[in-house]
Amino acid sequence: MDRSSLLQLIQEQAHPQALAGGPTPLQQLDPENTGFIGADTFTGLVHSHELPLDPAKLDMLVALAQSNDRGQISSKRSSSFKRAITNGQRALPQDGLLDEPGLGVYKRFVRYVAYEILPREVDRHWYFYRHRSCPPPVFMASVTLAQIIVFLCYGARLNKWVLQTYHPEYMKSPLVYHPGHRARAWRFLTYMFMHVGLEQLGFNALLQLMIGVPLEMVHGLLRISLLYLAGVLAGEAGVYPLATSLVGLTLTAVHLLYTGSLTVSITDMRAPVVGGSGGVYALCSAHLANVVMNWAGMRCPYKLLRMVLALVCMSSEVGRAVWLRFSPPLPASGPQPSFMAHLAGAVVGVSMGLTILRSYEERLRDQCGWWVVLLAYGTFLLFAIFWNVFAYDMLGAQIPPPP
């Protein structure tokens, strides 16, 4: 077992006098400071010393130590760590987390998140017992808060809270993606802070908090922020549909076809893009696909009903975006925002997102599927950059003048 993980657990649970004076147990177990402790040695230490460890954590540590045939257990998110948990699950506490008594409000929420996100009981146990409230899931909360602040600022400035894109001053924002400003690269990401109106902001913020925050609690800030921003960037390009018709149904074309802001710049070349729907649909589609792939193991209540409601809501939002794009209810000075970002985010979620969510406590770099998805996404980005630099002039595309 990794020394730092063991040291943290002992410091949390052991009385100060158990560690006072003389060499520490870790120094005795690892005198050469190699960073690892033998499984047999660690198991003997646990049984011979009266360390006041939590029984559930103690059983879990012993199970990990006994299940690794190499005599060592490496740190988290490695294949050996995952294999140790899987092989040692019989030694874990047999009672489900739903039977855990005397939990506070926060620990009950952690238990709820475990059953909402993770499909295997052993993973739920491990997440529940090792979860720490610090650092909190700051990414999704920060993005949502920033989107609300930006919306309130523009709403007060324009004196318009619904269908803001019809206001002539709205498209002058430096955050909105407009094909006439595609050379300003920051707009391929910053458009996620702008929204059509209160209805789109409310829908996105609700999903980001209800789905994004639990996903970030389980899988961490780095993975979920990568997935969310990949969906946002993909939604802007609009590349995939056109690439498919030109290149054919290859894996690269399919993956390039629906990738957020870049997708719009290829498939709907005259349309601007606003809203964080690319990132939201990446998270939602990844979670829903993970639930379907692990249907028997998911213990979330009313999962079929909730799946149907989620699909209906997401489809309705796409339908609303299509309606606003092609049948604007109010006079407009130019094309309305494209709906392709929604579809691009969904494709990113099913491909890249599903790979991430199925890799709980495993390193992504150890999986072949992750590199295939990453290669496809990188190929799409290169194609989208080339398209935005050369295709508009080559095809003679007529785009509306930038505001």
Side-chain angles (χ1 to χ4, degrees):
M1 169 166 285
D2 182 55
R3 296 175 73 251
S4 60
S5 302
L6 177 61
L7 179 60
Q8 178 183 0
L9 189 58
I10 291 180
Q11 288 176 341
E12 289 176 358
Q13 299 290 342
H15 293 302
Q17 58 269 24
L19 301 176
T24 64
L26 290 178
Q27 293 173 341
Q28 296 176 5
L29 294 171
D30 187 18
E32 298 181 0
N33 197 29
T34 62
F36 290 90
I37 297 172
D40 295 337
T41 305
F42 170 70
T43 303
L45 174 71
V46 170
H47 288 297
S48 61
H49 289 71
E50 296 181 357
L51 296 176
L53 292 171
D54 181 273
K57 293 183 179 180
L58 179 59
D59 291 341
M60 192 172 297
L61 288 173
V62 174
L64 292 174
Q66 292 176 342
S67 62
N68 195 328
D69 53 2
R70 296 188 305 174
Q72 292 178 334
I73 298 176
S74 59
S75 59
K76 71 173 186 175
R77 284 186 175 160
S78 66
S79 57
S80 61
F81 181 86
K82 183 68 176 182
R83 186 168 59 252
I85 294 181
T86 302
N87 296 337
Q89 57 182 305
R90 294 182 179 179
L92 297 177
Q94 296 299 314
D95 295 335
L97 293 179
L98 294 177
D99 303 324
E100 191 82 14
L103 298 179
V105 175
Y106 183 74
K107 291 300 290 184
R108 287 200 298 268
F109 177 68
V110 173
R111 180 179 62 184
Y112 163 80
V113 169
Y115 277 97
E116 284 290 313
I117 304 300
L118 297 172
R120 301 176 65 250
E121 190 67 25
V122 63
D123 289 334
R124 298 184 194 116
H125 272 83
W126 183 256
Y127 168 74
F128 179 80
Y129 289 117
R130 66 174 287 274
H131 174 77
R132 296 292 180 270
S133 58
C134 186
V138 295
F139 176 75
M140 293 311 309
S142 300
V143 169
T144 304
L145 180 61
Q147 291 172 341
I148 293 174
I149 292 175
V150 170
F151 176 78
L152 292 177
C153 292
Y154 276 90
R157 176 185 174 184
L158 304 176
N159 195 25
K160 192 175 181 65
W161 305 96
V162 178
L163 300 179
Q164 289 183 345
T165 53
Y166 291 89
H167 195 287
E169 297 294 322
Y170 182 86
M171 290 298 172
K172 295 181 180 180
S173 169
L175 303 179
V176 174
Y177 169 79
H178 189 280
H181 291 310
R182 62 187 182 279
R184 303 175 182 178
W186 70 85
R187 291 175 180 256
F188 283 84
L189 287 176
T190 57
Y191 81 93
M192 72 179 185
F193 296 109
M194 305 290 291
H195 287 81
V196 173
L198 185 60
E199 68 285 355
Q200 186 190 26
L201 173 65
F203 180 80
N204 287 349
L206 183 64
L207 290 180
Q208 286 173 181
L209 295 177
M210 292 184 61
I211 297 179
V213 169
L215 287 176
E216 186 178 349
M217 290 177 62
V218 173
H219 296 281
L221 181 148
L222 183 60
R223 294 187 176 200
I224 298 305
S225 61
L226 173 64
L227 175 59
Y228 185 88
L229 294 177
V232 169
L233 183 61
E236 176 64 20
V239 177
Y240 276 178
L242 182 59
T244 300
S245 62
L246 296 177
V247 181
L249 296 177
T250 62
L251 175 63
T252 301
V254 170
H255 202 80
L256 294 178
L257 186 55
Y258 294 108
T259 311
S261 62
L262 292 174
T263 304
V264 172
S265 69
I266 298 175
T267 59
D268 200 357
M269 299 173 66
R270 301 180 69 250
V273 188
V274 296
S277 298
V280 171
Y281 274 63
L283 295 178
C284 292
S285 60
H287 178 58
L288 294 179
N290 189 46
V291 171
V292 172
M293 293 288 291
N294 300 278
W295 187 263
M298 299 301 295
R299 294 285 302 276
C300 48
Y302 308 108
K303 55 185 177 182
L304 180 58
L305 176 61
R306 293 165 63 180
M307 174 75 71
V308 172
L309 289 177
L311 292 176
V312 169
C313 292
M314 294 171 65
S315 301
S316 300
E317 172 62 17
V318 173
R320 186 193 68 88
V322 173
W323 170 63
L324 292 177
R325 173 68 180 91
F326 295 109
S327 299
L330 297 174
S333 58
Q336 288 301 295
S338 176
F339 60 91
M340 290 304 302
H342 299 71
L343 304 181
V347 171
V348 170
V350 173
S351 55
M352 180 183 294
L354 186 58
T355 303
I356 292 176
L357 299 192
R358 295 184 66 186
S359 306
Y360 174 69
E361 291 299 351
E362 288 187 88
R363 290 193 181 100
L364 292 175
R365 65 172 180 262
D366 295 334
Q367 303 179 53
C368 179
W370 167 249
W371 292 108
V372 172
V373 170
L374 206 59
L375 176 62
Y377 190 84
T379 304
F380 157 70
L381 290 182
L382 293 176
F383 178 81
I385 293 172
F386 173 85
W387 184 274
N388 279 273
V389 173
F390 300 106
Y392 280 78
D393 294 332
M394 292 171 57
L395 298 177
Q398 298 296 322
I399 60 176

